[in-house]
């Protein structure tokens, strides 16, 4: 590990020297890439330097223990430096784990009503609201792709893009089946119903990231429905793409022009094809997906929202919070932080096998 860290330090110093050259910004794209790499390395370098300082402090304290008058003081200093060194070692192990190459990407989120009829659609709407409120807290932008409502204000399906640095690194833990237990507004007898909605989170891919044969795509156009201004139901601006080899269907109706909707559909299709290929590769290494908290399958029940008890339980990390109102208002950080920590621990254990 020490050799790897020293190599990273050398790389960081090299990037610092390059950034000070007069012609560094002559190629803005290259400069931005190198600065991003430098910024990614900086916390690792700082932790490594602190680790080495703790090592030096331990050695110095141990040498001074030979003096009886200094022994007690040096023992305290030695223990402090040792504790710091062990803490930094654990942090460095996590920092050196391979990063998910998609962590900095924007995401496409798909929410679908599941089991439970109208109540599941109302719950899907609650989840849509929860994620848009979380995005607002994170200063991320949300743009709709496809949104189909029910008569009672529920959501049959909602597809939207979340744009912001690190969006995928946080929201990737939300993929799976979300279960709600509450008394529906449509229930006159006061009985608690259990319903579900599914959430899928995909890193947004460009067409260039995935090979798509234009001949494999069937395009359909239709009139948009729902909110959207005067063009709704007057022009065939909504677009549906069918990928014939896989049967994947994507649709977008939120933009005013057919061209814009098709462009967004192509990004959705690229993301779905990427996800399908990743699932194929991971199935060949069957333990990989199951060992990582952040890559739950769509049919895996991940969380329960129990309104009568005011609790939210994430089943992957056995975390229960008794503040359901705050969670439904987008306060997701405690849950996501626990999932990220568990994911790191699982990958670290796998890395050390």
């Amino acid at each position: 590990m020490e050799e790897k860290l020293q190599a990273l330090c050398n790389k960081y110093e090299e990037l610092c020297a390059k950034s000070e050259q007069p012609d560094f910004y002559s190629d803005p794209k290259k400069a931005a890439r190198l600065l991003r790499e430098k910024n990614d390395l900086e916390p690792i370098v700082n932790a490594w330097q602190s680790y080495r300082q703790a090592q030096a402090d331990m050695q110095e304290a141990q040498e001074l223990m030979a003096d009886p008058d200094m022994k007690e003081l040096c023992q305290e200093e030695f223990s402090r430096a040792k504790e710091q060194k062990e803490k930094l070692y654990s942090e460095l192990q996590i920092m050196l784990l391979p990063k998910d190459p998609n962590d900095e990407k924007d995401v496409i989120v798909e929410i679908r009503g599941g089991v439970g009829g109208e109540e599941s659609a109302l719950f899907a709407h609650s989840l849509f609201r929860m994620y848009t409120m979380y995005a607002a807290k994170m200063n991320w932008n949300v743009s709709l792709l496809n949104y189909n409502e029910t008569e009672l204000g529920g959501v049959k399906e909602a597809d939207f893009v979340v744009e912001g640095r690190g969006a995928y690194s946080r929201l990737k833990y939300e993929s799976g089946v979300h279960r709600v237990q509450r008394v529906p507004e449509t229930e006159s007898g006061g009985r608690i119903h259990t319903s579900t909605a599914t959430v899928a989170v995909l890193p947004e891919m460009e067409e260039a990231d995935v090979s798509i044969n234009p001949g494999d795509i069937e395009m359909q156009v239709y009139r948009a429905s729902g909110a959207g201004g005067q063009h709704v139901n007057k022009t065939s601006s909504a677009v549906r793409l069918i990928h014939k080899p896989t049967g994947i269907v994507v649709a977008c109706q939120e933009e005013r022009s057919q061209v814009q909707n098709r462009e967004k559909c192509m990004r959705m299709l690229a993301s779905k094809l990427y996800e399908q290929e990743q699932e194929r590769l991971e199935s060949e290494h069957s333990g990989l997906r199951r060992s990582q908290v952040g890559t739950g399958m769509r049919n895996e029940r991940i969380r329960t929202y129990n309104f009568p008890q005011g609790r939210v339980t994430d089943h992957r990390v056995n975390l229960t919070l008794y503040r359901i109102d705050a969670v439904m208002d987008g306060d997701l950080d405690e849950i996501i932080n626990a999932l990220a920590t568990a994911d790191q621990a699982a990958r670290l254990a796998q890395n050390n096998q």
Side-chain angles (χ1 to χ4, degrees), residues 101-167:
N102 297 316
D103 272 352
E104 295 303 310
K105 288 186 180 292
D106 299 334
V107 299
I108 294 173
V109 182
E110 301 176 332
I111 301 175
R112 300 286 184 271
V115 177
E118 184 63 41
E119 171 61 9
S120 73
L122 290 168
F123 178 50
H125 177 270
S126 297
L127 291 177
F128 174 71
R129 176 181 176 274
M130 180 180 78
Y131 290 127
T132 53
M133 291 185 77
Y134 181 64
K137 290 176 191 288
M138 299 295 289
N139 294 316
W140 295 335
N141 295 320
V142 174
S143 56
L144 275 176
L145 298 170
N146 195 33
Y147 190 86
N148 289 328
E149 290 182 299
T150 64
E151 290 182 4
L152 295 180
V155 170
K156 291 180 182 176
E157 54 185 24
D159 304 328
F160 54 99
V161 178
V162 181
E163 299 170 313
R165 182 163 185 182

Side-chain angles (χ1 to χ4, degrees), residues 111-115 117-130 153-155 177-182 195-199 303-305 307 324 328:
I111 301 175
R112 300 286 184 271
V115 177
E118 184 63 41
E119 171 61 9
S120 73
L122 290 168
F123 178 50
H125 177 270
S126 297
L127 291 177
F128 174 71
R129 176 181 176 274
M130 180 180 78
V155 170
V177 176
H178 295 243
R179 181 176 69 170
V180 64
Q181 295 171 327
R182 64 184 178 186
S195 305
T196 64
T198 60
V199 176
R303 194 175 299 150
T304 295
Y305 305 75
F307 280 81
I324 195 167
M328 299 310 295

